[in-house]
Amino acid sequence: DFAFTRREIACLDMNYTIIVETGQSGIDSNVILCIFGDQDTTANLPLKTTKDGFDARFEKDTSLEFQVQAVDVGKVRRILIRFERLNV
């Protein structure tokens, strides 16, 4: 599970739109995003529910859009995307 710190709850003042496009193979995993900026870094942001309210399914050749709220990181410097396999 992912939890926000007290500071992050008070500062969830930025809405980010994230679009994930898969390639020739899908991913059967939980996808987690972290945004690093010149002023701050977000917590781990699980991408579980799409902008339209559907469960995220990262299947072959798909494009999924997410809306997440997090701290304002300033100018985005890098993004870390990682995944945790579901069927190990």
Side-chain angles (χ1 to χ4, degrees):
D1 289 351
F2 301 93
F4 292 106
T5 65
R6 229 180 254 176
R7 180 181 158 276
E8 289 169 322
I9 291 170
C11 298
L12 296 180
D13 55 359
M14 186 67 155
N15 289 315
Y16 295 94
T17 298
I18 292 125
I19 300 171
V20 177
E21 295 181 358
T22 61
Q24 294 297 315
S25 60
I27 303 170
D28 187 17
S29 343
N30 291 321
V31 176
I32 299 143
L33 176 87
C34 187
I35 304 169
F36 298 83
D38 61 357
Q39 296 178 17
D40 210 340
T41 301
T42 66
N44 288 326
L45 304 168
L47 302 179
K48 292 185 175 185
T49 306
T50 66
K51 180 180 176 181
D52 298 328
F54 296 105
D55 289 340
R57 296 183 56 114
F58 298 91
E59 297 176 344
K60 176 182 173 182
D61 295 323
T62 59
S63 178
L64 300 172
E65 186 171 343
F66 300 87
Q67 198 75 44
V68 296
Q69 191 173 17
V71 297
D72 184 354
V73 299
K75 184 173 181 177
V76 175
R77 296 294 185 189
R78 70 183 171 114
I79 296 171
L80 173 68
I81 299 174
R82 65 184 179 91
F83 61 93
E84 297 173 342
R85 292 204 182 271
L86 297 175
N87 300 323
V88 177

